[in-house]
Every structure is written in structure tokens, then in C-alpha cells.
Amino acid sequence: DLARPAYPAELFDDLGELAGLRAGARVLEIGCGTGKATVPLAERGFEVVCVELGEQLAAVARRNLAAYPRVEVVGAPFETWEPAEAGFDAVVAFTAFHWIDPGIRYEKSARLLRDGGALAVVTTGHVVPEDGDPFMLEAQDDYVAVGEPWLRPPRPDEIDGISDEIAASGAFAPVATRRYPWEQRYSAEEYVAVLDTYSGHRTIEQERRLRLYDLIRARIEARPERAVRKAYLFILDVA
């Protein structure tokens, strides 16, 4: 909850407009995590039901959302959960939709929506713009040093959302897409903290992972500013 970035306010404004949502709209959020995106949804007056698989994540979300009585956090897998009342105005997912069973996620989302309801999916890309901080490129040497493959981080124009996948599902059309470049500044400890929330890093064998983090900390501390500017690209697809 402390390490992950927030989402741009403009993204939520666009989501509400593209999905045709007004205050009081019923929204189902898949995989709310700690409520990073749920709070802005609640602030816009939506009634939100969140389905979160992780019990500890759901507990943090409930604390973060305690001021919003029209938000409910349900601890359950989306694949097996069924609401007491369907007919939602929108189903939304923020950096979580890819975890849902591909054979279920579109069919079930469509089934839980009212006629004409919207699916809104936000994906997050880790990118290096041409004018951005090259740290992610430089740090690839540290990954190689601990036995991880060298991977060139993509440019923003090399990242797409999931509009083609949504259209191919046959359950939703048309798709509107919006893109939001975002930059976050991190100290060495903050940068390592956010890396340690990513499944790709969590699955590295512990000794190698901790060695990698030591190398990355040292690389950041050796910089004049002792900080990193990390670039993200959030992509919103609404159908």
C-alpha cells in the first residue's frame, strides 16, 4: 500500500465519462488490492463492491475505505463469487484483470452487468521514454550479475492495452482507449520497496533477490541525486 503508485485523477474522470457513470452508479471492482483505485471511485459518489482474493489486502482496503459507507470489500475469488444482486453499471479492474481466468473474465463480467453496462480495464506498463530516466536500462547489468536475463524495458509506444482482446471476446463493443504517462520519484529504499511488490521479483530465489536489491540500492545511492525517476504508462480500455 505504501510502495505502489496512485493513478492519475484524469483517468477516473475519463472512466466515468466513457462508461456513462454518474453519482450513485453501481460499480463492481475486481481485485481492489488495498483500495488504491477504490478511493477515487468512492470520492466520485459511486457505490462500489470490491472482490479481493487476498485476505490481508482486503483488510487494508477496508481500513482505507472506512470513511465510505457505500463501499463493500468482499474477500473471495472473482471466478467463484456471486453477488446477491447483479445488474452493475460497470465492472472495473486496475492492474488486476490479467490475474482472472481468461475463460471466465469476459463472460462473467458481461453477465454481471446491466444491459449496456461498461467494462473498464486499466493496465500498467513499466516504460523508458526517450527523454526519461535511463535507470531501468542501466540496472539491467545488476539483473545479469545475479543470473537474471537482460531485458530491454519498452518505450511507451511499444505498449498497448487490451482493446483487441476485449473485442475478440465477443462480449463487448466498441472499445475506447486512453493513455496516461506517469512519472514517480523514488529514493533507493522506496524503489526497492516497489520492486518487491512485483511477482516477477518475488519469484526470484531469495538469496539472489536480496543481492539484486543490494546492487540496485548501491547504484541509486551512487547517483548525484540519490533517486530514480520511474516512468509508468497507464492504459484505460472501456467497452
Side-chain angles (χ1 to χ4, degrees), residues 191-207:
Y191 188 77
V192 167
V194 76
L195 291 182
D196 206 39
T197 70
Y198 301 147
S199 57
H201 289 74
R202 299 291 297 175
T203 54
I204 298 174
E205 185 271 327
Q206 182 176 359
E207 183 177 350

Side-chain angles (χ1 to χ4, degrees), residues 3-223:
R4 286 288 182 102
Y7 295 92
E10 181 186 1
L11 184 155
F12 297 95
D13 295 337
D14 290 346
L15 189 160
E17 180 182 349
L18 293 170
L21 302 179
R22 294 177 174 81
R26 296 182 65 235
V27 175
L28 170 62
E29 183 181 4
I30 301 172
C32 71
T34 62
K36 286 283 186 180
T38 320
V39 170
L41 294 172
E43 289 173 342
R44 284 158 175 78
F46 304 147
E47 179 181 324
V48 188
V49 176
C50 308
V51 181
E52 171 53 54
L53 175 64
E55 293 182 5
Q56 294 179 45
L57 290 171
V60 176
R62 292 187 185 102
R63 292 200 300 269
N64 289 342
L65 294 158
Y68 303 98
R70 300 184 71 186
V71 175
E72 178 186 7
V73 179
V74 179
F78 175 74
E79 288 88 343
T80 57
W81 171 81
E82 292 293 337
E85 179 187 358
F88 291 95
D89 297 301
V91 171
V92 302
F94 295 80
T95 321
F97 203 58
H98 60 287
W99 292 114
I100 304 302
D101 184 338
I104 292 176
R105 55 192 175 205
Y106 291 107
E107 176 276 328
K108 186 164 186 177
S109 295
R111 176 168 59 83
L112 296 181
L113 286 165
R114 63 167 173 78
D115 289 344
L119 173 68
V121 179
V122 174
T123 53
T124 301
H126 307 279
V127 296
V128 179
E130 289 190 11
D131 60 347
D133 188 332
F135 182 81
M136 283 179 65
L137 292 169
E138 298 167 354
Q140 290 302 310
D141 290 342
D142 299 330
Y143 288 84
V144 173
V146 300
E148 291 296 304
W150 195 97
L151 299 172
R152 181 181 68 82
R155 300 187 306 268
D157 60 0
E158 295 175 321
I159 297 288
D160 292 318
I162 61 170
S163 59
D164 290 345
E165 179 183 299
I166 294 174
S169 75
F172 296 92
V175 175
T177 301
R178 300 288 185 273
R179 300 166 69 88
Y180 309 88
W182 184 263
E183 188 175 88
Q184 189 100 1
R185 183 182 175 90
Y186 294 100
S187 68
E189 288 303 324
E190 290 168 339
Y191 188 77
V192 167
V194 76
L195 291 182
D196 206 39
T197 70
Y198 301 147
S199 57
H201 289 74
R202 299 291 297 175
T203 54
I204 298 174
E205 185 271 327
Q206 182 176 359
E207 183 177 350
R208 290 192 296 118
R209 184 173 79 248
L210 296 179
R211 173 59 179 156
L212 171 65
Y213 293 163
D214 286 342
L215 293 172
I216 287 175
R217 283 191 192 92
R219 185 179 292 273
I220 296 173
E221 293 291 349
R223 300 181 124 203

